[in-house]
Amino acid sequence: MSEQEYLNLLQRTIHYIQQKQTDKIVISREKWIDKDKINPFKSFLFLCEKYPSSFCQVSYWNQNEIWMGATPEILGSFENSLFTTMALAGTLPDIDSVQWESKEIEEQKYVTDYICEKIKAYTSNLTIKGPETLHLGLVKHLITYLSAKLNTSDQLPQLIEDLHPTPAVCGIPLNKSRSYILENEGYNRDFYAGYIGLETQKFKKYFVNLRCAKLYANGALLYVGGGITAQSNPQKEWTETELKAKFIGESL
């Protein structure tokens, strides 16, 4: 998708939201990077070194499909009966002079409120910390941490299913936003915005598959997006996706 095509889509989306159809819709796009040769393991080590607080992974699916990513977003973690997650939304260039405005604060609140309501269906013991700023390479995000005691570990699979997709990758209300994305985004997200994780006898951790790329012999498809609200500025949103593309692109 070209820059102008993306800007046009964002403008239509903002108009749709302003007509009170939804509160937020996440619009994403692909970005192709040509490379004579890609070394997944070298790129993976680069990501591990540069983003130690993110979940860095390279996964071999088949000869024609290798995924790599460094996602900062935990969908859910469970250990010793404690469930933890986060509401991560709102993105700006990580520059001191660029401060949070009502658009980002509102966007982050949508996500936090949604996740709180989902968790409350499983427990009344909910702790909320934030929002605060998370500095991550070229960008910064607003983040709120949430934790709760679950009655039994049997609740975890259904809770994860209820949380995904979150407003951070889809929108609010969920079903209407998802329908809009399927009808208007114009491409298949594939594994982007899905979730990936680790399971052991002691803990289970699942992460939203963001800041990711699908690798090929001659290049890579990067996947980037952003939350659109009634206050969004299309050009700023385009710039945000370009910054997010550098998150993975600079490692290739």
Side-chain angles (χ1 to χ4, degrees), residues 139-198:
V139 300
K140 57 187 175 184
H141 303 285
L142 281 172
I143 186 170
T144 297
Y145 299 94
L146 305 99
S147 61
K149 287 278 187 179
L150 294 185
N151 295 327
T152 70
S153 60
D154 295 339
Q155 295 177 294
L156 182 62
Q158 187 59 52
L159 176 53
I160 292 296
E161 289 298 315
D162 285 350
L163 285 174
H164 185 267
T166 71
V169 297
C170 189
I172 296 176
L174 178 65
N175 290 335
K176 205 164 190 178
S177 299
R178 179 160 45 195
S179 294
Y180 182 90
I181 290 168
L182 292 172
E183 293 170 7
N184 293 275
E185 207 169 52
Y187 83 105
N188 185 347
R189 287 189 177 186
D190 206 323
F191 186 42
Y192 167 68
Y195 62 90
I196 187 170
L198 301 170

Side-chain angles (χ1 to χ4, degrees), residues 116-128:
C116 284
E117 287 304 310
K118 291 294 184 182
I119 296 176
K120 285 177 181 177
Y122 293 83
T123 178
S124 59
N125 182 11
L126 177 62
T127 301
I128 304 170

Side-chain angles (χ1 to χ4, degrees), residues 38-59 66-72 136-137 209-215 222 243-252:
I38 287 181
N39 186 322
F41 297 104
K42 183 177 179 181
S43 297
F44 170 69
L45 292 175
F46 174 89
L47 291 175
C48 291
E49 181 177 347
K50 184 135 189 188
Y51 305 109
S53 63
S54 294
F55 176 68
C56 302
Q57 58 89 15
V58 58
S59 53
I66 296 175
W67 283 82
M68 184 180 71
T71 177
L136 206 61
N209 190 38
L210 303 174
R211 309 296 194 275
C212 60
K214 190 175 183 180
L215 309 184
L222 313 185
L243 284 172
K244 289 177 176 177
K246 290 181 180 179
F247 199 94
I248 290 295
E250 67 179 355
S251 72
L252 299 173

